[in-house]
């Protein structure tokens, strides 16, 4: 009989932050589309009126985060300690249940802080999974996709990027699944050949419905970025412009579409009555940088470099 022990260690953060205020192509989630304004990190703080012009460039933010940490490779032994960065600690919850007979781990990432109203740029939820301290993380989801978050003491700000992991996706067996389809040409395959491959894949999944025995630990890690990128992200968030990592493609569904420079890079598909069915955009970064430039209060800018943070482990055991 399975014994599932889910134990999140107590969170202890020693924060000495000087902050005043505060990413393959994926299908962008609905939550990335700009909505209402996010709360200001520090609503009671007066500003001097002095501002500096800043803009948000996704490539620069991604580059500054990617240089901080190389995730461990499949099969490596990895036993990190939890560590906050710039006053922010990633947190992660993980629960194991059977879904249609398949062991499924649901991972819920978030952030917490002891600094009142801290705003920052961080990942939507990069995870590392180990079994008996050996890395078995699925071969997806390692890119740094920055988003703007506001965290408050004593609470967890969830990223809304929950993940599901099954045994068939773990990196120590996923190569076998890839091998089934490697070199398979759908355009020339016969129905019998397709059916045979599908049956082979189904056999693979059936053989990996259960997680192998062991102690599993799930970690979340992320660059934590303040400074000028977080300051401009805060100003944009106060306008209701969020989903910064997807603006190149979804700006047409935000208030940014009022700008002719954005309209020039979008195409509308309408029905016979002229009703909008779909709006496709691909706004070059240089153009988007011009559109996103704002005068940012100097008090929003924290003079601290990017740093990487690691959660404590969400742990469970499979007997």
């Amino acid at each position: 009989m399975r014994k599932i022990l889910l134990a999140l260690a107590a969170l202890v953060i020693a924060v000495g932050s000087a902050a005043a205020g505060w990413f393959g192509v994926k299908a962008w989630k609905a939550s990335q589309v700009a909505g209402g304004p996010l709360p200001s990190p520090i609503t009671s703080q007066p500003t001097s009126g002095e501002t500096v012009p800043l803009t948000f460039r996704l490539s620069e933010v991604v580059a500054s985060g990617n240089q901080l940490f190389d995730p461990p490779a499949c099969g490596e032994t990895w036993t990190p300690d939890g560590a906050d960065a710039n006053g922010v600690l990633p947190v992660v919850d993980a629960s194991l249940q059977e879904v249609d007979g398949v062991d499924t781990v649901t991972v819920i990432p978030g952030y917490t802080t002891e600094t009142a109203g801290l705003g920052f740029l961080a990942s939507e939820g990069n995870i590392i999974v180990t079994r008996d301290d050996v890395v078995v993380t699925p071969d997806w989801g390692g890119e740094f996709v920055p988003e703007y978050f506001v965290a408050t003491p004593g609470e967890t700000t969830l990223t809304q990027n929950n993940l599901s992991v099954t045994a068939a996706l773990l990196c120590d067996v996923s190569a076998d699944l890839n091998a089934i389809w490697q070199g398979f040409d759908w355009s020339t395959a016969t129905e019998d050949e397709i059916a045979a491959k599908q049956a082979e894949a189904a056999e693979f999944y059936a053989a990996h419905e259960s997680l192998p025995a062991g102690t599993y630990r799930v970690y979340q890690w992320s660059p934590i970025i303040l400074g000028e990128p977080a300051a401009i992200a805060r100003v944009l968030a106060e306008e209701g412009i969020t989903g910064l990592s997807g603006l190149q493609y979804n700006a047409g569904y935000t208030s940014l579409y009022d700008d002719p420079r954005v309209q020039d890079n979008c195409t509308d598909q309408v029905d016979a009555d002229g009703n909008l069915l779909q709006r496709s955009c691909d706004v070059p970064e240089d153009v988007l940088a011009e559109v996103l430039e704002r005068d940012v209060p100097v008090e929003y800018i924290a003079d601290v470099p990017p740093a990487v943070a690691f959660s404590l482990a969400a742990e469970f055991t499979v007997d």
Side-chain angles (χ1 to χ4, degrees):
M1 181 176 180
R2 286 253 161 130
K3 179 169 122 186
I4 307 302
L5 301 176
L6 178 61
L8 276 175
L11 301 177
V12 179
I13 317 172
V15 178
S17 176
W22 100 313
F23 232 23
V25 176
K26 297 181 179 179
W28 304 112
K29 305 188 303 300
S31 63
Q32 290 178 301
V33 177
L38 290 180
S40 296
I42 302 177
T43 56
S44 61
Q45 179 190 6
T47 62
S48 64
E50 182 182 355
T51 63
V52 293
L54 297 176
T55 191
F56 184 87
R57 284 184 175 270
L58 180 63
S59 62
E60 294 179 358
V61 175
V62 171
S64 69
N66 283 340
Q67 66 185 4
L68 298 174
F69 174 64
D70 290 324
C74 184
E76 289 186 9
T77 299
W78 197 66
T79 54
D81 295 322
D84 71 292
N86 291 332
V88 179
L89 182 70
V91 293
V92 65
D93 195 3
S95 59
L96 174 61
Q97 58 183 324
E98 285 194 2
V99 179
D100 296 328
V102 178
D103 283 354
T104 302
V105 181
T106 300
V107 181
I108 304 175
Y111 296 97
T112 190
T113 182
E114 285 189 351
T115 301
L118 183 64
F120 54 95
L121 289 164
S123 166
E124 293 187 308
N126 284 352
I127 66 165
I128 295 174
V129 182
T130 66
R131 180 175 62 242
D132 297 333
D133 295 329
V134 175
V135 174
V136 291
T137 307
D139 295 325
W140 44 256
E143 305 91 347
F144 173 40
V145 182
E147 189 49 88
Y148 177 72
F149 299 100
V150 176
T152 55
E155 298 182 6
T156 297
T157 297
L158 301 179
T159 72
Q160 307 302 317
N161 191 39
N162 297 354
L163 307 171
S164 293
V165 180
T166 63
L169 297 177
L170 298 181
C171 66
D172 56 347
V173 298
S174 61
D176 296 335
L177 178 60
N178 294 336
I180 294 174
W181 298 105
Q182 185 70 35
F184 186 73
D185 191 341
W186 287 84
S187 63
T188 60
T190 65
E191 291 186 5
D192 287 344
E193 289 172 335
I194 294 173
K197 282 292 185 180
Q198 291 174 331
E200 191 176 353
E203 184 178 352
F204 171 85
Y205 281 112
H208 295 89
E209 291 182 344
S210 299
L211 286 170
T215 297
Y216 289 78
R217 295 184 175 92
V218 182
Y219 305 87
Q220 187 198 175
W221 68 273
S222 177
I224 306 298
I225 299 175
L226 282 77
E228 292 184 353
I232 179 61
R234 171 179 174 177
V235 170
L236 294 171
E238 290 170 350
E239 295 180 15
I241 300 173
T242 58
L244 298 175
S245 60
L247 282 180
Q248 176 181 358
Y249 305 105
N250 65 32
Y253 292 100
T254 75
S255 60
L256 298 176
Y257 188 70
D258 294 337
D259 193 304
R261 292 170 293 182
V262 172
Q263 295 178 22
D264 288 344
N265 291 280
C266 296
T267 302
D268 287 356
Q269 179 182 350
V270 298
D271 61 19
D273 296 323
N275 298 310
L276 180 65
L277 298 176
Q278 182 178 340
R279 176 171 290 153
S280 301
C281 300
D282 191 351
V283 186
E285 184 175 65
D286 286 345
V287 174
L288 194 57
E290 294 177 1
V291 173
L292 294 176
E293 184 173 311
R294 300 289 188 274
D295 290 329
V296 176
V298 294
E299 287 83 3
Y300 284 18
I301 303 171
D303 187 17
V304 288
V308 66
F310 301 89
S311 74
L312 298 174
E315 179 179 316
F316 59 90
T317 299
V318 177
D319 290 338

Short mmCIF file of all heavy atoms in Angstrom, two decimals, residues 225-261:
data_model
loop_
_atom_site.label_atom_id
_atom_site.label_comp_id
_atom_site.label_asym_id
_atom_site.label_seq_id
_atom_site.Cartn_x
_atom_site.Cartn_y
_atom_site.Cartn_z
N ILE A 225 14.61 39.47 -9.74
CA ILE A 225 15.14 40.67 -10.37
C ILE A 225 14.40 41.90 -9.87
O ILE A 225 13.17 41.98 -9.95
CB ILE A 225 15.03 40.57 -11.91
CG1 ILE A 225 15.85 39.36 -12.40
CG2 ILE A 225 15.50 41.86 -12.57
CD1 ILE A 225 15.70 39.10 -13.89
N LEU A 226 15.17 42.84 -9.32
CA LEU A 226 14.63 44.13 -8.94
C LEU A 226 15.23 45.18 -9.87
O LEU A 226 15.26 44.97 -11.07
CB LEU A 226 14.91 44.43 -7.46
CG LEU A 226 14.00 43.71 -6.45
CD1 LEU A 226 14.37 42.26 -6.29
CD2 LEU A 226 14.03 44.43 -5.11
N GLY A 227 15.72 46.28 -9.36
CA GLY A 227 16.36 47.27 -10.20
C GLY A 227 15.41 47.89 -11.22
O GLY A 227 14.19 47.91 -11.06
N GLU A 228 15.99 48.40 -12.30
CA GLU A 228 15.21 49.12 -13.31
C GLU A 228 14.16 48.24 -14.00
O GLU A 228 13.04 48.70 -14.24
CB GLU A 228 16.16 49.75 -14.35
CG GLU A 228 17.00 50.89 -13.77
CD GLU A 228 17.86 51.56 -14.82
OE1 GLU A 228 17.89 51.05 -15.97
OE2 GLU A 228 18.48 52.60 -14.51
N PRO A 229 14.46 46.95 -14.34
CA PRO A 229 13.44 46.13 -15.00
C PRO A 229 12.18 45.96 -14.15
O PRO A 229 11.06 45.98 -14.66
CB PRO A 229 14.14 44.79 -15.22
CG PRO A 229 15.59 45.13 -15.26
CD PRO A 229 15.75 46.24 -14.26
N ALA A 230 12.36 45.78 -12.84
CA ALA A 230 11.21 45.63 -11.97
C ALA A 230 10.47 46.94 -11.77
O ALA A 230 9.26 46.98 -11.61
CB ALA A 230 11.63 45.06 -10.62
N ALA A 231 11.22 48.04 -11.79
CA ALA A 231 10.60 49.36 -11.62
C ALA A 231 9.67 49.68 -12.79
O ALA A 231 8.54 50.13 -12.59
CB ALA A 231 11.68 50.43 -11.48
N ILE A 232 10.12 49.45 -14.03
CA ILE A 232 9.24 49.71 -15.18
C ILE A 232 8.10 48.69 -15.20
O ILE A 232 6.96 49.04 -15.55
CB ILE A 232 10.04 49.69 -16.51
CG1 ILE A 232 9.10 49.94 -17.70
CG2 ILE A 232 10.80 48.41 -16.69
CD1 ILE A 232 8.39 51.27 -17.67
N ALA A 233 8.37 47.46 -14.78
CA ALA A 233 7.29 46.47 -14.71
C ALA A 233 6.22 46.89 -13.72
O ALA A 233 5.02 46.68 -13.94
CB ALA A 233 7.86 45.10 -14.32
N ARG A 234 6.66 47.52 -12.62
CA ARG A 234 5.69 48.01 -11.63
C ARG A 234 4.80 49.09 -12.23
O ARG A 234 3.57 49.06 -12.07
CB ARG A 234 6.42 48.55 -10.41
CG ARG A 234 5.50 49.26 -9.43
CD ARG A 234 6.24 49.78 -8.21
NE ARG A 234 5.37 50.58 -7.37
CZ ARG A 234 5.72 51.12 -6.22
NH1 ARG A 234 6.95 50.94 -5.76
NH2 ARG A 234 4.87 51.83 -5.51
N VAL A 235 5.41 50.05 -12.94
CA VAL A 235 4.62 51.12 -13.54
C VAL A 235 3.62 50.56 -14.55
O VAL A 235 2.45 50.95 -14.59
CB VAL A 235 5.55 52.16 -14.20
CG1 VAL A 235 4.76 53.15 -15.03
CG2 VAL A 235 6.36 52.90 -13.13
N LEU A 236 4.07 49.61 -15.36
CA LEU A 236 3.18 49.00 -16.35
C LEU A 236 2.05 48.23 -15.66
O LEU A 236 0.90 48.28 -16.10
CB LEU A 236 3.98 48.09 -17.27
CG LEU A 236 5.00 48.79 -18.18
CD1 LEU A 236 5.87 47.76 -18.89
CD2 LEU A 236 4.30 49.69 -19.19
N ALA A 237 2.40 47.52 -14.58
CA ALA A 237 1.37 46.77 -13.86
C ALA A 237 0.32 47.69 -13.26
O ALA A 237 -0.86 47.35 -13.20
CB ALA A 237 2.02 45.92 -12.76
N GLU A 238 0.75 48.87 -12.81
CA GLU A 238 -0.19 49.83 -12.25
C GLU A 238 -1.17 50.32 -13.32
O GLU A 238 -2.27 50.78 -13.01
CB GLU A 238 0.56 50.99 -11.62
CG GLU A 238 1.29 50.60 -10.34
CD GLU A 238 2.23 51.69 -9.83
OE1 GLU A 238 2.46 52.66 -10.57
OE2 GLU A 238 2.73 51.55 -8.70
N GLU A 239 -0.77 50.22 -14.61
CA GLU A 239 -1.65 50.58 -15.72
C GLU A 239 -2.52 49.39 -16.14
O GLU A 239 -3.40 49.54 -16.99
CB GLU A 239 -0.84 51.02 -16.93
CG GLU A 239 -0.03 52.28 -16.74
CD GLU A 239 0.75 52.65 -17.99
OE1 GLU A 239 0.44 52.09 -19.07
OE2 GLU A 239 1.67 53.49 -17.90
N GLY A 240 -2.26 48.21 -15.57
CA GLY A 240 -3.00 47.02 -15.98
C GLY A 240 -2.31 46.23 -17.06
O GLY A 240 -2.90 45.30 -17.62
N ILE A 241 -1.06 46.56 -17.36
CA ILE A 241 -0.31 45.84 -18.39
C ILE A 241 0.55 44.78 -17.72
O ILE A 241 1.57 45.07 -17.11
CB ILE A 241 0.57 46.80 -19.21
CG1 ILE A 241 -0.30 47.85 -19.88
CG2 ILE A 241 1.37 46.02 -20.26
CD1 ILE A 241 0.48 48.95 -20.57
N THR A 242 0.11 43.54 -17.80
CA THR A 242 0.83 42.42 -17.22
C THR A 242 1.13 41.42 -18.34
O THR A 242 1.00 41.74 -19.52
CB THR A 242 0.02 41.77 -16.10
OG1 THR A 242 -1.25 41.34 -16.62
CG2 THR A 242 -0.22 42.76 -14.96
N GLY A 243 1.52 40.20 -17.99
CA GLY A 243 1.86 39.23 -19.02
C GLY A 243 2.99 39.71 -19.90
O GLY A 243 2.96 39.58 -21.12
N LEU A 244 4.03 40.27 -19.28
CA LEU A 244 5.10 40.92 -20.02
C LEU A 244 5.82 39.97 -20.97
O LEU A 244 6.28 40.39 -22.04
CB LEU A 244 6.10 41.54 -19.04
CG LEU A 244 5.53 42.63 -18.13
CD1 LEU A 244 6.58 43.07 -17.11
CD2 LEU A 244 5.04 43.81 -18.95
N SER A 245 5.93 38.70 -20.61
CA SER A 245 6.65 37.76 -21.46
C SER A 245 5.92 37.45 -22.75
O SER A 245 6.51 36.94 -23.70
CB SER A 245 6.92 36.46 -20.69
OG SER A 245 5.71 35.86 -20.29
N GLY A 246 4.63 37.76 -22.83
CA GLY A 246 3.86 37.46 -24.03
C GLY A 246 3.36 38.66 -24.79
O GLY A 246 2.61 38.53 -25.75
N LEU A 247 3.81 39.85 -24.41
CA LEU A 247 3.28 41.06 -25.04
C LEU A 247 3.57 41.13 -26.53
O LEU A 247 2.81 41.74 -27.29
CB LEU A 247 3.84 42.31 -24.35
CG LEU A 247 3.20 42.70 -23.02
CD1 LEU A 247 3.86 43.95 -22.47
CD2 LEU A 247 1.69 42.93 -23.20
N GLN A 248 4.65 40.54 -26.99
CA GLN A 248 4.96 40.55 -28.41
C GLN A 248 3.79 40.00 -29.22
O GLN A 248 3.52 40.47 -30.34
CB GLN A 248 6.22 39.72 -28.68
CG GLN A 248 6.57 39.60 -30.17
CD GLN A 248 7.79 38.74 -30.41
OE1 GLN A 248 8.43 38.25 -29.48
NE2 GLN A 248 8.13 38.54 -31.68
N TYR A 249 3.09 39.02 -28.65
CA TYR A 249 2.02 38.35 -29.37
C TYR A 249 0.62 38.76 -28.91
O TYR A 249 -0.33 38.68 -29.69
CB TYR A 249 2.17 36.83 -29.23
CG TYR A 249 3.52 36.34 -29.68
CD1 TYR A 249 4.49 35.96 -28.76
CD2 TYR A 249 3.86 36.32 -31.03
CE1 TYR A 249 5.75 35.53 -29.17
CE2 TYR A 249 5.11 35.90 -31.45
CZ TYR A 249 6.05 35.50 -30.52
OH TYR A 249 7.30 35.10 -30.93
N ASN A 250 0.48 39.18 -27.67
CA ASN A 250 -0.88 39.48 -27.18
C ASN A 250 -1.13 40.95 -26.91
O ASN A 250 -2.16 41.31 -26.34
CB ASN A 250 -1.21 38.65 -25.92
CG ASN A 250 -0.34 39.01 -24.73
OD1 ASN A 250 0.08 40.16 -24.57
ND2 ASN A 250 -0.06 38.04 -23.88
N ALA A 251 -0.21 41.83 -27.34
CA ALA A 251 -0.43 43.26 -27.12
C ALA A 251 -1.73 43.74 -27.75
O ALA A 251 -2.33 44.72 -27.30
CB ALA A 251 0.75 44.06 -27.68
N GLY A 252 -2.18 43.06 -28.80
CA GLY A 252 -3.42 43.46 -29.47
C GLY A 252 -4.66 43.28 -28.63
O GLY A 252 -5.73 43.80 -28.98
N TYR A 253 -4.53 42.56 -27.53
CA TYR A 253 -5.67 42.37 -26.63
C TYR A 253 -5.50 43.21 -25.36
O TYR A 253 -6.16 42.95 -24.36
CB TYR A 253 -5.81 40.90 -26.26
CG TYR A 253 -6.23 40.04 -27.43
CD1 TYR A 253 -5.30 39.30 -28.15
CD2 TYR A 253 -7.56 39.99 -27.84
CE1 TYR A 253 -5.68 38.52 -29.23
CE2 TYR A 253 -7.96 39.21 -28.91
CZ TYR A 253 -7.02 38.47 -29.60
OH TYR A 253 -7.40 37.69 -30.68
N THR A 254 -4.61 44.18 -25.39
CA THR A 254 -4.39 45.07 -24.26
C THR A 254 -4.62 46.51 -24.68
O THR A 254 -4.85 46.81 -25.86
CB THR A 254 -2.94 44.93 -23.73
OG1 THR A 254 -2.04 45.59 -24.64
CG2 THR A 254 -2.54 43.46 -23.59
N SER A 255 -4.50 47.39 -23.72
CA SER A 255 -4.65 48.82 -24.03
C SER A 255 -3.55 49.32 -24.96
O SER A 255 -3.69 50.39 -25.57
CB SER A 255 -4.63 49.63 -22.73
OG SER A 255 -3.40 49.44 -22.03
N LEU A 256 -2.46 48.56 -25.09
CA LEU A 256 -1.39 48.96 -25.99
C LEU A 256 -1.83 49.01 -27.45
O LEU A 256 -1.20 49.66 -28.28
CB LEU A 256 -0.19 48.00 -25.86
CG LEU A 256 0.48 47.92 -24.48
CD1 LEU A 256 1.57 46.86 -24.49
CD2 LEU A 256 1.06 49.28 -24.09
N TYR A 257 -2.93 48.33 -27.76
CA TYR A 257 -3.41 48.31 -29.15
C TYR A 257 -3.88 49.69 -29.60
O TYR A 257 -3.99 49.94 -30.81
CB TYR A 257 -4.53 47.29 -29.31
CG TYR A 257 -4.95 47.09 -30.75
CD1 TYR A 257 -4.10 46.45 -31.65
CD2 TYR A 257 -6.18 47.56 -31.21
CE1 TYR A 257 -4.48 46.26 -32.97
CE2 TYR A 257 -6.56 47.38 -32.54
CZ TYR A 257 -5.70 46.73 -33.42
OH TYR A 257 -6.07 46.57 -34.74
N ASP A 258 -4.11 50.58 -28.67
CA ASP A 258 -4.49 51.95 -29.05
C ASP A 258 -3.35 52.66 -29.76
O ASP A 258 -3.58 53.67 -30.44
CB ASP A 258 -4.90 52.74 -27.81
CG ASP A 258 -6.18 52.19 -27.18
OD1 ASP A 258 -6.95 51.53 -27.88
OD2 ASP A 258 -6.38 52.43 -25.97
N ASP A 259 -2.13 52.18 -29.58
CA ASP A 259 -0.97 52.81 -30.20
C ASP A 259 -0.83 52.32 -31.65
O ASP A 259 -0.77 51.11 -31.90
CB ASP A 259 0.29 52.44 -29.40
CG ASP A 259 1.49 53.28 -29.78
OD1 ASP A 259 1.84 53.31 -30.98
OD2 ASP A 259 2.10 53.90 -28.88
N PRO A 260 -0.77 53.22 -32.62
CA PRO A 260 -0.63 52.82 -34.02
C PRO A 260 0.58 51.95 -34.30
O PRO A 260 0.57 51.13 -35.22
CB PRO A 260 -0.52 54.16 -34.77
CG PRO A 260 -1.18 55.15 -33.86
CD PRO A 260 -0.88 54.68 -32.47
N ARG A 261 1.65 52.10 -33.49
CA ARG A 261 2.84 51.29 -33.69
C ARG A 261 2.56 49.82 -33.41
O ARG A 261 3.18 48.93 -34.02
CB ARG A 261 3.97 51.81 -32.81
CG ARG A 261 4.50 53.18 -33.21
CD ARG A 261 5.44 53.75 -32.17
NE ARG A 261 4.74 54.06 -30.92
CZ ARG A 261 5.32 54.62 -29.86
NH1 ARG A 261 6.62 54.93 -29.91
NH2 ARG A 261 4.62 54.89 -28.78
#
